[in-house]
Amino acid sequence: SAVISQKPSRDICQRGTSLTIQCQVDSQVTMMFWYRQQPGQSLTLIATANQGSEATYESGFVIDKFPISRPNLTFSTLTVSNMSPEDSSIYLCSVGGAPDEQYFGPGTRLTVT
Amino acid sequence: QKEVEQNSGPLSVPEGAIASLNCTYSDRVSQSFFWYRQYSGKSPELIMSIYSNGDKEDGRFTAQLNKASQYVSLLIRDSQPSDSATYLCAVTMIKAAGNKLTFGGGTRVLVKP
């Protein structure tokens, strides 16, 4: 499976600021996804990052809050904008394998104060 | 009703015993089924995929799928303390595009020496 890295691994941010999380894959992949895992909870899909077009967001997530870029088949970014303490979570990118499998990056642990 | 349901646990299992984890899903035409293992502070790791009714074995792990009952399970034989983790059931829903996964809440497993 692909090797996936994320930057930063963790960060502490002040409310009202924004953080951009990077996801890098060591091979070209068609499907990339961004998830959120709130403390003690399971994973919730934020959006599918589409190469060359706008991301597809899940219900409850909007582009203004979570803008996503996917400039090529190995890289994507997720920005968490205008942060509040409720945004404190682990943010995970994943890549799609076949058939339907997904492999996760190490995650970014975000704390908003 | 949640789309993917799991008993949150903890499931306490003596070392060497069989751990049995269950998962039910609501979408009758779901296609693909996965078990992920997540150690505390780490990202989910794919351990089993199953696509058709019956059993699938991989080492000490056996996944069982019953589409008529909308039920998927994971057996861990000869449980080891290193198996102590949260196990996440994930399902690909037919109504979703691409590889979109829906996760259950996870079952925490504790293997006691």
Side-chain angles (χ1 to χ4, degrees):
Chain A
S1 59
V3 176
I4 308 165
S5 60
Q6 284 186 236
K7 290 181 181 180
S9 58
R10 59 179 61 228
D11 207 343
I12 301 173
C13 301
Q14 291 191 341
R15 68 173 68 206
T17 62
S18 298
L19 176 72
T20 295
I21 302 167
Q22 299 179 3
C23 179
Q24 179 77 54
V25 190
D26 70 342
S27 59
Q28 293 186 339
V29 293
T30 303
M31 307 293 289
M32 291 183 77
F33 305 87
W34 286 98
Y35 288 82
R36 180 173 73 181
Q37 188 171 29
Q38 295 179 301
Q41 303 296 314
S42 188
L43 282 75
T44 301
L45 179 64
I46 299 171
T48 301
N50 302 309
Q51 195 267 330
S53 64
E54 277 195 6
T56 305
Y57 289 85
E58 297 301 301
S59 175
F61 298 96
V62 295
I63 187 171
D64 290 347
K65 176 67 175 178
F66 296 102
I68 288 171
S69 77
R70 178 89 192 271
N72 55 52
L73 292 175
T74 64
F75 186 77
S76 179
T77 66
L78 168 75
T79 298
V80 186
S81 303
N82 188 25
M83 288 184 284
S84 67
E86 292 70 35
D87 295 319
S88 296
S89 288
I90 299 172
Y91 291 86
L92 295 141
C93 71
S94 74
V95 302
D100 289 346
E101 294 178 348
Q102 287 187 29
Y103 301 92
F104 286 87
T108 296
R109 183 179 295 271
L110 171 62
T111 302
V112 183
T113 61
Chain B
Q1 180 190 8
K2 293 182 181 177
E3 292 181 300
V4 182
E5 296 206 56
Q6 298 179 251
N7 188 317
S8 61
L11 175 65
S12 185
V13 179
E15 184 175 357
I18 296 174
S20 177
L21 291 74
N22 303 319
C23 172
T24 58
Y25 57 94
S26 61
D27 190 336
R28 183 171 295 276
V29 293
S30 295
Q31 293 180 306
S32 307
F33 307 86
F34 307 93
W35 284 98
Y36 286 83
R37 177 176 62 197
Q38 186 173 28
Y39 292 114
S40 180
K42 301 295 185 182
S43 63
E45 172 193 8
L46 180 64
I47 56 172
M48 289 292 286
S49 310
I50 188 165
Y51 305 98
S52 55
N53 283 329
D55 296 359
K56 179 182 178 183
E57 186 174 319
D58 184 358
R60 295 186 295 111
F61 298 105
T62 299
Q64 299 173 317
L65 176 61
N66 184 326
K67 290 186 177 181
S69 299
Q70 295 174 237
Y71 175 95
V72 58
S73 65
L74 179 71
L75 300 178
I76 307 173
R77 290 183 302 281
D78 188 24
S79 296
Q80 301 297 309
S82 59
D83 295 325
S84 298
T86 297
Y87 290 80
L88 301 166
C89 173
V91 177
T92 300
M93 300 292 184
I94 189 67
K95 64 178 181 292
N99 300 48
K100 285 171 54 172
L101 294 178
T102 300
F103 283 83
T107 298
R108 186 171 161 225
V109 173
L110 296 174
V111 181
K112 296 187 174 182

